[in-house]
Amino acid sequence: MTMQEITQYLDNKINSDENIVTITFYEVRIKFDLSEEETQEFLRLCKTRLENLGYQVYFTGAKYMYQGESKVVQSNELMVAIKENLE
């Protein structure tokens, strides 16, 4: 995927819900047909962009707080990004 495609993908996610962005295994590995190596690079680029936009980024298995609830990034989710200073 090009940087432009990644930017467009993230912009669509943010427009859908600016408070939380979830990137699933299905989207990346099946829908986009990325290899394991391409997936890691995709996630690295997404992480950088989301952090620059003021998001806290969490990967599979990580714990995070959202709307006052403790949550865990599920096994089918590769990344969850939460807008900082939500509450």
Side-chain angles (χ1 to χ4, degrees):
M1 289 185 86
T2 66
M3 197 61 217
Q4 183 178 357
E5 290 171 322
I6 292 171
T7 300
Q8 184 177 2
Y9 168 76
L10 289 175
D11 288 348
N12 289 339
K13 287 279 198 180
I14 292 167
N15 288 337
S16 174
D17 186 348
E18 69 177 343
N19 295 323
I20 185 167
V21 174
T22 303
I23 299 174
T24 66
F25 178 89
Y26 173 81
E27 289 174 305
V28 177
R29 294 300 300 271
I30 309 300
K31 190 174 172 187
F32 298 148
D33 194 29
L34 299 182
S35 69
E36 181 66 32
E37 188 175 301
E38 292 168 329
T39 297
Q40 293 307 314
E41 179 66 8
F42 173 80
L43 293 175
R44 186 185 68 76
L45 293 170
C46 287
K47 178 182 186 284
T48 301
R49 176 128 198 286
L50 289 166
E51 286 176 340
N52 288 340
L53 292 172
Y55 286 82
Q56 285 281 35
V57 178
Y58 304 92
F59 294 97
T60 307
K63 295 178 181 176
Y64 63 96
M65 293 292 289
Y66 182 63
Q67 296 180 335
E69 291 182 37
S70 179
K71 298 187 178 238
V72 176
V73 182
Q74 300 300 306
S75 60
N76 65 328
E77 299 170 331
L78 297 176
M79 176 189 288
V80 172
I82 308 293
K83 187 75 171 172
E84 291 181 350
N85 303 321
L86 251 188
E87 299 180 49

